Every structure is written in structure tokens, then in C-alpha cells.
Amino acid sequence: STGRTTFAAVRPFSFACSSNQETWRVMLASLRSLRDIKLWAGLALVGFQYWILIHPQPQLVARPVHLVLALLLVFLWNPLTDIRLPQWMRRAIDAVIVAGVAGFCVYYWLSLTRIQDRIENVDAVFTQDIIFGIIFVLLLLEGVRRTTGWILVWVILTFLAYGALAFILPFGGFRGFAL
């Protein structure tokens, strides 16, 4: 055993404890597990899903919140495991990635009214929209890599390249997408 108590293994009011001291130890372990951000992010995702069932939200609200919470859970449950990097660097990279997810969340929340009121192909796309969009796509690609591996990342990159470069292909009528 690694000495860590998982949330599922904690029974704070178990009558199987041999002594009062053991009961307190189990209760303290359960309180420590409440500090785990993975627990709170998971509860927030489940709570949000139930909330939008009762109070439906516009898709420009529901989808990003769902993606941000899911990405947060992906990065918390699947930390970087590249053994070529020292542990402190892996943790620092994970912290930067989680900060990137939080930064996108703050940006989107502050820009939500403007994004909802924007008329596609009429209103200008701001530079910060492009920057945060690229950051979010990179975060999504890293989340996909950590959960399913490189093959799906290459499939996604192929489709992104097709969307960006299809106008130079000699066949088909697709003109591609601009940023």
C-alpha cells in the first residue's frame, strides 16, 4: 500500500473499527479526502449536469462548462507520466495545464455576453478569441492524448489540417475554414 487513503476506501462511521482511536483515524482520513480537488471537480460536473436538466442553458454556456470540467478531471486523473522528465517538472507542467484550463474558463466567462451577441461572419473575431481558441484546442488535444493515445490525436490533427488547407487541394469544392 502507498499509505494514501482513497475516498472510496474510507468508511467514517464503520462499526468494524477495533478502537476509538481507529475510528478517529478513519474519520480524519475521510476529512482529508474532502480536500481532494478531483472529488470537487467531479461533484461540480455531476451537479452541473443535473442543474442543466432542471434549468436548461444556451449551448454556448452548457458546452464550454462541460468541456472545462471534463478537461479538468482528465488532467487531474491522468497526470503526466513521461519518465524522461523529473517529477517536479511533470507536476509543474500539469499545474500550468490546469492553470490554462482555469484561464480559459475565466476568459470565456468574462467574454460570454460578447460571444453570445456576436453575429457570425459579420462581427469581427478578436485576437484574444483566436489565442484562447488555439490554447483550448491544444488543451483538448493533450487531454485526448492522455486518455486515448496518439492515434486519435493524429486523426484530429488530420481533420484540422484538412479544414485549414482544403482550399489548395485540386479536387472537391470545399474552400476550407479561416481562423
Side-chain angles (χ1 to χ4, degrees):
S1 174
T2 61
R4 289 179 51 189
T5 305
T6 61
F7 187 71
V10 174
R11 295 187 190 123
F13 301 108
S14 173
F15 294 106
C17 297
S18 59
S19 69
N20 198 17
Q21 185 179 15
E22 178 69 16
T23 303
W24 281 106
R25 187 189 68 75
V26 171
M27 287 176 69
L28 274 173
S30 68
L31 288 176
R32 275 189 224 113
S33 69
L34 291 177
R35 294 185 308 193
D36 191 5
I37 192 171
K38 292 182 277 192
L39 169 70
W40 293 107
L43 288 174
L45 180 60
V46 170
F48 179 73
Q49 294 303 317
Y50 282 119
W51 183 68
I52 63 173
L53 282 174
I54 298 167
H55 305 285
Q57 297 298 307
Q59 292 305 312
L60 283 174
V61 174
R63 287 180 184 154
V65 171
H66 181 241
L67 273 175
V68 163
L69 289 172
L71 268 180
L72 185 62
L73 285 171
V74 163
F75 293 128
L76 292 174
W77 280 103
N78 300 304
L80 191 61
T81 57
D82 189 354
I83 57 173
R84 296 174 292 180
L85 298 173
Q87 184 176 4
W88 68 268
M89 188 178 291
R90 291 189 305 242
R91 286 188 178 178
I93 291 170
D94 283 337
V96 167
I97 287 174
V98 168
V101 172
F104 177 81
C105 184
V106 168
Y107 158 76
Y108 196 82
W109 182 257
L110 294 175
S111 303
L112 183 60
T113 304
R114 181 183 54 80
I115 291 171
Q116 283 180 327
D117 294 340
R118 182 181 173 273
I119 301 172
E120 187 176 347
N121 295 326
V122 174
D123 291 334
V125 178
F126 296 154
T127 304
Q128 66 261 26
D129 296 337
I130 295 171
I131 291 169
F132 277 98
I134 291 171
I135 289 171
F136 198 64
V137 168
L138 292 174
L139 289 169
L140 285 170
L141 287 172
E142 177 61 14
V144 167
R145 187 196 65 79
R146 288 188 188 192
T147 55
T148 61
W150 279 103
I151 189 68
L152 188 56
V153 171
W154 286 113
V155 170
I156 294 169
L157 287 173
T158 301
F159 281 104
L160 288 173
Y162 176 74
L165 304 173
F167 67 94
I168 61 174
L169 295 175
F171 52 86
F174 183 63
R175 291 179 287 157
F177 295 116
L179 282 177

